Amino acid sequence: MTAVLTRRPGLRGIRAAGSPLHLICLAFVVLVTTAALLAPWLVPYDPNVVDLGSALAGTSADHPLGVDAAGRDTLSRLLLGARTSLLGPLGVVVFATLAGVAVGTVAAWRGGWLDSLLSRGTELVFAFPGMLLAILIIAVYGEGLLAPVIALAIAYLPYVSRLTRSLVLAERARPYVSAHLVQGHSAVQICLRHVLPNIAPVVLAQATINFGYALMDLAGLSFLGLGVPPLTPDWGRMVFDGQTAVQHGYPLSAVLPCVLIVLTVVAFNVVGERWADRVARRDR
């Protein structure tokens, strides 16, 4: 009897469609990402120029969104702050996804004592709060974007690893894997050419959701003064710096970054959940 090699549709099986809410969120994600990429050419003022003479001057033709307590243009800081606010979560998601997929694939494929060892290791990371780990690493290495990104990536890794492990176990039980093994293909070839492309839609959907949560966590660290340096435009840092303006009746410099953080997190979660739902319906 001849074995028939079959492959699941992978990424090509996911077609672009969605509800109005999904399309609105997708458009918002594209808009924020585009603004972050083009921010250096869009900002009307240097976001770090301090003008105490115009501090808390409110909105005007020159400053449509007003200025903060240090006289810095709010619109300029929002645009450039989008770069930092999106770059950090991107680093978290990329590192956590790559490492988590590697750990989960090895654990599922090899099994035995190696699977048990890796599973116990991820459980230990689960038991340690990600934010506390980030605070500890920042306390050792100082403020900046790299330390919290590494800490949160380690904290997010177990989620990706567990998901990947379950997906790879399901894929390994499929007939096409046995057929390739009989034909002499190595485990590395089968995983890279077939297994990983087949599980990619689910992993990428989870990565999209993780991006929103990572953005919220990093913004929280910046609000606490543990993220980016004070002069770096960042949405979380802007909320922290805008507290003085709120007390004086000029809330825009603090409220606007809050709104952007919430909308961006919700948009990424909706897009990720929609993608995950379409993958689930495809696999039924």
Side-chain angles (χ1 to χ4, degrees):
M1 181 173 62
T2 304
V4 178
L5 303 182
T6 60
R7 288 190 60 183
R8 299 167 72 196
L11 288 172
R12 290 175 294 179
I14 309 300
R15 297 176 182 173
S19 64
L21 176 61
H22 167 255
L23 295 178
I24 292 172
C25 290
L26 183 60
F28 183 81
V29 168
V30 173
L31 177 63
V32 170
T33 304
T34 303
L37 293 174
L38 301 179
W41 297 275
L42 296 177
V43 292
Y45 301 97
D46 186 334
N48 292 323
V49 171
V50 175
D51 183 10
L52 297 178
S54 61
L56 303 179
T59 59
S60 64
D62 293 331
H63 302 282
L65 300 181
V67 296
D68 61 10
R72 298 171 297 190
D73 182 63
T74 301
L75 176 59
S76 300
R77 291 185 66 79
L78 284 175
L79 289 172
L80 274 180
R83 309 194 88 189
T84 308
S85 300
L86 297 183
L87 181 62
L90 179 62
V92 172
V93 168
V94 169
F95 180 84
T97 301
L98 293 178
V101 166
V103 171
T105 301
V106 171
W109 196 271
R110 298 289 296 181
W113 66 268
L114 184 58
D115 183 16
S116 299
L117 178 63
L118 293 175
S119 297
R120 298 298 83 77
T122 55
E123 288 175 359
L124 287 176
V125 178
F126 264 125
F128 204 85
M131 292 291 282
L132 180 57
L133 178 62
I135 292 173
L136 290 176
I137 293 181
I138 292 170
V140 174
Y141 293 100
E143 64 182 8
L145 191 60
L146 182 60
V149 164
I150 293 175
L152 290 178
I154 295 173
Y156 279 63
L157 188 153
Y159 297 94
V160 182
S161 175
R162 282 192 170 187
L163 174 64
T164 302
R165 180 181 178 275
S166 63
L167 294 172
V168 174
L169 285 174
E171 284 295 312
R172 192 179 181 187
R174 294 182 179 273
Y176 79 86
V177 174
S178 300
H180 281 295
L181 288 173
V182 169
Q183 292 188 357
H185 295 280
S186 67
V188 175
Q189 289 177 322
I190 297 173
C191 288
L192 292 179
R193 295 180 181 178
H194 304 285
V195 175
L196 293 182
N198 285 342
I199 69 173
V202 181
V203 174
L204 291 178
Q206 182 62 48
T208 305
I209 297 173
N210 288 344
F211 186 97
Y213 289 118
L215 190 155
M216 184 168 53
D217 288 340
L218 288 172
L221 288 171
S222 295
F223 174 77
L224 295 175
L226 301 174
V228 299
L231 294 180
T232 303
D234 178 82
W235 291 345
R237 187 76 195 191
M238 288 182 66
V239 178
F240 175 80
D241 294 337
Q243 295 178 91
T244 303
V246 172
Q247 295 172 358
H248 289 82
Y250 297 92
L252 283 181
S253 60
V255 171
L256 288 177
C258 279
V259 172
L260 284 175
I261 291 171
V262 172
L263 292 179
T264 305
V265 171
V266 170
F268 272 98
N269 283 349
V270 169
V271 172
E273 290 286 354
R274 176 68 182 183
W275 195 350
D277 289 343
R278 293 188 64 80
V279 174
R281 288 198 298 268
R282 181 207 65 179
D283 290 339
R284 288 173 185 169

